[in-house]
Amino acid sequence: MDAYLIATILIFLSAIFGYINVRFLKMPNTIGLMIITIVFTLIILLISVFDTTLLDLEKSIISSIDFKTVLLDEMLSFLLFAGALHTNFEQLKIQRWPILLFSTLGVLTSTFLVGIVMFFLLQVLNFDVNFIYCLLFGALITPTDPIAVLGILKQANVPKKLETKIVGESLFNDGVGVVVFLTIFQIASSGVENTTVTDVLQLFGQEVLGGIALGAVLGWVSYKLLKTIDDYDIEVIITLAAVMGGTVIAHKLHLSAPLAMVTAGLIVGNDTVRSATMSENTEKYVDKFWELLDILLNAILFVLIGMEMLLLVFEGKYMIAGLIAIPVVLACRYISLFLPINIFKKKLDFVPKTNLIMTWGGLRGGISIALALGLTSDMHRDLFLVITYVVVVFSIIVQGLTVGSLVKRLKEIVK
């Protein structure tokens, strides 16, 4: 099946499911689209008992798409740039130290906590899984997904200070989380005995620091180009070229494309840079272009997540492991946030129950599924893919639908 036909089908489904959600369900788009797609896939599975035509078509679409490559190497750069472009830079600057700790120390702490707990729980369930593979699962499930978080927080009425922390953390921790995953993946592939501390630090430093440096250069070059002209058509194209060109360069140099795009987006979206480089008309067109692209890619992504369930190996023990993993992942996130929050609690006047809200509002999404799909069979891919899918579906549907009510209830308690 050729790429144009696949893209057409996905956009068509996104449009139909999006209409159904807006017209009837009235849920946040990320949640509504995924629920409708899962129900749609289940209906197709039922119909396949009598006629397999639709099921074969859906399987053909899924098998033709390398979800990991499409999301991590292509879509993610656009989504992160769009998210960073619309993030309040001044609030982010004020909250920079807790966000830095959340997305580094928090990610590493959660990765190891989840890995350790899951290792022992899987032993209890009679799964013979090496510890390094449990750490891989900890790395892929730890990053909160900015794509899911951004869409839902807009409708949850979260206090602005707290929203900045959650959004800022999710923008950076997915980049760091991907690097942590790749680092552990390399150790697992080559063997612990063949990997030195220097190798790990070099890979981690190159990806993270190199990605941020590339993003800073892209942001600065974009700023200089935008400053010298006043033509909204070309200025929109310049921002698009920065994302596409920057992603290619990052992949060629083995730098973190997600961190590069977040950095570039924050620089271009900075209010000071905007006022110096963009006219009011240009600013409106740039914002609307990236907002539309963000909505379109989000819609396609969550339709794909719903369809990916066809890849799952439905075994009872796998599902039990997935259900057990839900409270484990939530508890480990709560613990990993505890130290950074308490360090800055008084200095930055944190919203009451910040830890609870950030734990429940830290949604998992497509990034975790994409990383799980990248596991090899000897890394227990089928097991961890089912566990990841269960955690992600619970996260987006249950946590996503209730985070607004949680915030409202906590506000009333504080009053």
Side-chain angles (χ1 to χ4, degrees):
M1 194 177 290
D2 65 85
Y4 183 80
L5 179 57
I6 292 172
T8 301
I9 293 170
L10 289 175
I11 291 175
F12 176 79
L13 290 175
S14 300
I16 296 297
F17 295 166
Y19 175 82
I20 293 170
N21 180 54
V22 172
R23 182 74 174 81
F24 302 106
L25 300 183
K26 303 186 189 304
M27 293 181 181
N29 283 326
T30 48
I31 300 172
L33 282 167
M34 196 174 76
I35 290 175
I36 294 169
T37 308
I38 290 174
V39 171
F40 174 74
T41 301
L42 290 173
I43 291 171
I44 286 179
L45 284 169
L46 289 173
I47 293 172
S48 68
V49 175
F50 308 100
D51 186 347
T52 62
T53 305
L54 286 174
L55 181 62
D56 292 340
L57 176 61
E58 188 168 343
K59 281 184 175 179
S60 176
I61 293 170
I62 293 299
S63 61
S64 301
I65 299 171
D66 184 343
F67 187 85
K68 180 174 179 286
T69 301
V70 167
L71 176 56
L72 296 183
D73 295 348
E74 296 165 11
M75 290 174 69
L76 190 57
S77 291
F78 295 95
L79 290 161
L80 289 178
F81 183 85
L85 192 68
H86 298 111
T87 300
N88 187 317
F89 187 83
E90 290 307 312
Q91 268 294 318
L92 196 66
K93 193 176 176 182
I94 294 169
Q95 308 289 347
R96 64 188 180 279
W97 294 117
I99 287 172
L100 177 64
L101 278 183
F102 290 148
S103 55
T104 52
L105 178 63
V107 167
L108 289 170
T109 302
S110 179
T111 295
F112 279 89
L113 284 176
V114 172
I116 291 167
V117 176
M118 287 304 296
F119 174 72
F120 288 107
L121 285 174
L122 289 175
Q123 300 298 315
V124 172
L125 292 172
N126 294 319
F127 287 108
D128 185 20
V129 181
N130 289 341
F131 177 65
I132 192 73
Y133 302 144
C134 293
L135 270 187
L136 267 177
F137 172 70
L140 69 87
I141 206 66
T142 285
T144 54
D145 194 325
I147 303 155
V149 170
L150 284 166
I152 290 167
L153 283 184
K154 289 175 184 176
Q155 300 186 23
N157 199 24
V158 172
K160 210 65 188 173
K161 288 188 292 185
L162 182 54
E163 183 183 329
T164 302
K165 292 183 185 71
I166 298 175
V167 171
E169 182 218 3
S170 64
L171 283 170
F172 282 101
N173 79 4
D174 79 292
V176 174
V178 170
V179 174
V180 171
F181 174 85
L182 292 174
T183 304
I184 298 173
F185 187 91
Q186 182 171 308
I187 295 171
S189 300
S190 57
V192 178
E193 65 281 355
N194 299 319
T195 307
T196 65
V197 175
T198 305
D199 293 333
V200 173
L201 292 176
Q202 183 178 347
L203 175 63
F204 195 83
Q206 178 181 334
E207 288 272 353
V208 174
L209 299 179
I212 292 172
L214 174 62
V217 171
L218 288 169
W220 182 81
V221 171
S222 299
Y223 158 70
K224 286 294 185 182
L225 292 173
L226 294 172
K227 190 177 181 181
T228 54
I229 62 172
D230 183 18
D231 186 305
Y232 66 81
D233 292 331
I234 302 302
E235 290 180 75
V236 168
I237 294 172
I238 287 171
T239 60
L240 185 61
V243 174
M244 298 180 76
T247 301
V248 171
I249 293 169
H251 291 153
K252 291 292 183 184
L253 300 179
H254 301 291
L255 311 177
S256 173
L259 289 174
M261 291 308 107
V262 169
T263 306
L266 288 173
I267 292 172
V268 175
N270 181 1
D271 289 339
T272 305
V273 172
R274 280 172 177 260
S275 61
T277 60
M278 299 182 198
S279 65
E280 189 177 328
N281 202 33
T282 296
E283 192 172 344
K284 181 178 76 173
Y285 274 91
V286 168
D287 283 342
K288 288 298 179 186
F289 171 79
W290 282 102
E291 188 178 323
L292 177 60
L293 196 59
D294 185 37
I295 291 168
L296 175 61
L297 293 179
N298 257 304
I300 293 171
L301 172 61
F302 283 91
V303 166
L304 277 173
I305 291 175
M307 294 172 73
E308 287 292 327
M309 68 181 292
L310 287 177
L311 298 177
L312 302 182
V313 177
F314 287 102
E315 286 192 17
K317 285 175 67 178
Y318 290 4
M319 296 299 292
I320 291 170
L323 293 172
I324 291 173
I326 293 170
V328 170
V329 170
L330 288 170
C332 291
R333 174 164 171 79
Y334 187 90
I335 295 168
S336 70
L337 295 172
F338 184 81
L339 181 62
I341 286 174
N342 279 278
I343 290 174
F344 296 100
K345 196 171 187 178
K346 292 182 180 178
K347 185 179 178 182
L348 292 177
D349 186 28
F350 274 40
V351 172
K353 304 292 183 183
T354 290
N355 202 342
L356 181 59
I357 298 171
M358 287 191 69
T359 298
W360 199 251
L363 310 181
R364 273 73 183 181
I367 293 170
S368 295
I369 292 175
L371 293 175
L373 286 166
L375 297 174
T376 58
S377 57
D378 60 316
M379 295 174 179
H380 303 274
R381 180 180 182 271
D382 289 341
L383 168 63
F384 286 122
L385 185 56
V386 171
I387 295 174
T388 302
Y389 201 87
V390 171
V391 172
V392 167
V393 170
F394 177 88
S395 170
I396 292 173
I397 296 177
V398 179
Q399 291 173 232
L401 285 175
T402 56
V403 67
S405 302
L406 175 66
V407 172
K408 186 178 178 181
R409 187 173 180 183
L410 290 176
K411 279 182 180 178
E412 291 172 354
I413 292 172
V414 171
K415 286 177 183 178

